C-alpha cells in the first residue's frame, strides 16, 4: 500500500453569523441614559468594566465619564491612551492587553468600552480581537471620522513596518454608540478630516450628500455639527443628522454584502488607492481624511483624463473639497515614483489587481484595471497644477468656488 492511498481528510464547515449595531443616542454621558451600561445582548453584565479613554476625551469628558459610571454604581477601571496615527502601534495594543489582565475582564460579560477617535478604537479593537482569541467590546467614537466611518467598520488595524494597517483583524464590536455632542470639542482640522471620508462617500454613491456638502459643508464645520441654541438661529441639527446619517447608511450598505472583503472591488476604497503610502510618508503632516480627499481628487483627475467625468464635474469636486478646507493636492501626490509605489502596494492588497474605483459621474463609480503609468504621470501633473493657482485640468482656469 503506498502512502497516498492511506491519506485521510476531514473538513469542517460552519457558519459565522455576524450582527452588530450602531446606535445614535443623544446625551450618552447623562447618568439617566442606560446605553453605555448595556452590554451587547442586553443587561448590565458583571465584573469590572475597563473603560479606555482617548487622552483628549479624558481631559474634556473624563470627569463626566467617571460621574456617569459611579452614579450608576458600576465598577470601572480606566486606561488613557493617546490618539493620533503614530500611536496605532503594537505597543499600545499590548498595553491594553496588560490592562485587561490586570482588571480581570470576563470573557463575555464585562466588555471593555473604548471612547475616543479612530486610533484608540483601532488599538482597542485589535487588542479585543486577540485577547483570549476574541472578546466583545463597545465602541464610542468621538471624532467625526470615528462617527461616520470607524463606527461602521468591522475591522481594526495598527500600523507596522512603515505601512498603514499592516496588522489587523475583522472583529466588529457588537455595539457602537454615537453621540454627536462629542463633536462640539473636536478641533476644526479634525472635523475637516472627517469630512474627507464623507466627501468620499458622497462621490461614490450619494449625489444628495454631495449637494448637502456643497451647500452646508463649511457651516457644519463652523457649528461643529451642533444644534443652535434653543430659540436661536442657525443651521438646524437636522442637517447634521442627515449628513452623518447618510454617511453611515451608505457605508453600512456597501460593507454588509462584502464584510470579509472576499470581493476586492470595493467602491469604499475610493480615495484609498494611492493615499495610504502618501499618508505614511507624510506623517505626521497629513491626517487620514486629508490624504483621502486628495486621493479622491487624484482619482478624479484620472477619470477626467479618460473622459469618464467632464471638466465641470471635476471642478465642482475640487471646489467642494476646498470649501470644506480640504486641500486638493500635496507635493507627495506630484511624485510619480511614490504614487506608483503606493499603487504597487495597493495592487498587492487587491490580490494582484488594480480594481481602482473611478467616478463615472458624481455619485457613481466603475472599476478600472488598466490604468497606465502615463495616466498616473498626467494625474501627478494635474496635482502639481492644483498646488499652484491653476486648476488641475490642462487649459482650464481656476474654477470659481461655487
Ligand atoms: N477600523 C476601520 O475600518 C477604520 C475606518 C476608518 C478609519 N480608521 C482609522 O481611524 C484613524 C483616524 O481616526 P481619527 O481621525 O478619529 O483620529 P484620532 O483617533 O487620532 O483622533 C484625532 C484627535 O482628536 C482627539 N479627539 C478625539 N475625540 C475628541 C473630542 N471629542 N474632542 C476633542 N478632541 C478629540 C484625539 O485625541 C486626537 O488627537 C486612522 O488611523 C484610520 O486608519 C479605521
Ligand atoms: Zn479611510
Amino acid at each position: 500500500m503506498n502512502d497516498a492511498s492511506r491519506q485521510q481528510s476531514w473538513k469542517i464547515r460552519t457558519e459565522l453569523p455576524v450582527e452588530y449595531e450602531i446606535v445614535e443616542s443623544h446625551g450618552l454621558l447623562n447618568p439617566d441614559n442606560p446605553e453605555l451600561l448595556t452590554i451587547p445582548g442586553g443587561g448590565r453584565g458583571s465584573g469590572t468594566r475597563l473603560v479606555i479613554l482617548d487622552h483628549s476625551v479624558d481631559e474634556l469628558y473624563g470627569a463626566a465619564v467617571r460621574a456617569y459610571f459611579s452614579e450608576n454604581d458600576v465598577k470601572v477601571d480606566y486606561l488613557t491612551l493617546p490618539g493620533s496615527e503614530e500611536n496605532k502601534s503594537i505597543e499600545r495594543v499590548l498595553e491594553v492587553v496588560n490592562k485587561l489582565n490586570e482588571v480581570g475582564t470576563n470573557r463575555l460579560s464585562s466588555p471593555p468600552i473604548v471612547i475616543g477617535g479612530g486610533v484608540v478604537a483601532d488599538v482597542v479593537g485589535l487588542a479585543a480581537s486577540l485577547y483570549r482569541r476574541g472578546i466583545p467590546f463597545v465602541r464610542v467614537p468621538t471624532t467625526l471620522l470615528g462617527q461616520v466611518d470607524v463606527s461602521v467598520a468591522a475591522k481594526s488595524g495598527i500600523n507596522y513596518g512603515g505601512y498603514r494597517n499592516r496588522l489587523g483583524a475583522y472583529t466588529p464590536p457588537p455595539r457602537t454608540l454615537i453621540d454627536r455632542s462629542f463633536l462640539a470639542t473636536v478641533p476644526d482640522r479634525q472635523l475637516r478630516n472627517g469630512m474627507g471620508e464623507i466627501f468620499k462617500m458622497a462621490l461614490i454613491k450619494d449625489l444628495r450628500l454631495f449637494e448637502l456638502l456643497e451647500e452646508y459643508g463649511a457651516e457644519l464645520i463652523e457649528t461643529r455639527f451642533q444644534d443652535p441654541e434653543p430659540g436661536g438661529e442657525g443651521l438646524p441639527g437636522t442637517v447634521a443628522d442627515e449628513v452623518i446619517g447618510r454617511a453611515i447608511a451608505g457605508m453600512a450598505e456597501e460593507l454588509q454584502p462584502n464584510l470579509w472583503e472576499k470581493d476586492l472591488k470595493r467602491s469604499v476604497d475610493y480615495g484609498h488607492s494611492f493615499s495610504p503610502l502618501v499618508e505614511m510618508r507624510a506623517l505626521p503632516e497629513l491626517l487620514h481624511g486629508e490624504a483621502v480627499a486628495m486621493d479622491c481628487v487624484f482619482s478624479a483627475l484620472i477619470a477626467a483624463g479618460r473622459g469618464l467625468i467632464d471638466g465641470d464635474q471635476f471642478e465642482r469636486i475640487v471646489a467642494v473639497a476646498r470649501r470644506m478646507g480640504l486641500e486638493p493636492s500635496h507635493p507627495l501626490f506630484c511624485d510619480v515614483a511614490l504614487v506608483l509605489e503606493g499603487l504597487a502596494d495597493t495592487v498587492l492588497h487587491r490580490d494582484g489587481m488594480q480594481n481602482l474605483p473611478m467616478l463615472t459621474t458624481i455619485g457613481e463609480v466603475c472599476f478600472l484595471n488598466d490604468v497606465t503609468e502615463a495616466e498616473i504621470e498626467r494625474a501627478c501633473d494635474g496635482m502639481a497644477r492644483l498646488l499652484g493657482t491653476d486648476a488641475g485640468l490642462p487649459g482650464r482656469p481656476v474654477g470659481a468656488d461655487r
Side-chain angles (χ1 to χ4, degrees), residues 236-254:
T238 47
V239 176
D241 285 338
E242 187 177 359
V243 167
I244 291 178
R246 289 192 89 90
I248 293 177
M251 192 70 178
E253 210 175 280
E254 290 302 310

Side-chain angles (χ1 to χ4, degrees), residues 149 197 272 288 292:
D149 190 345
E197 293 283 2
H272 295 68
H288 177 68
V292 166

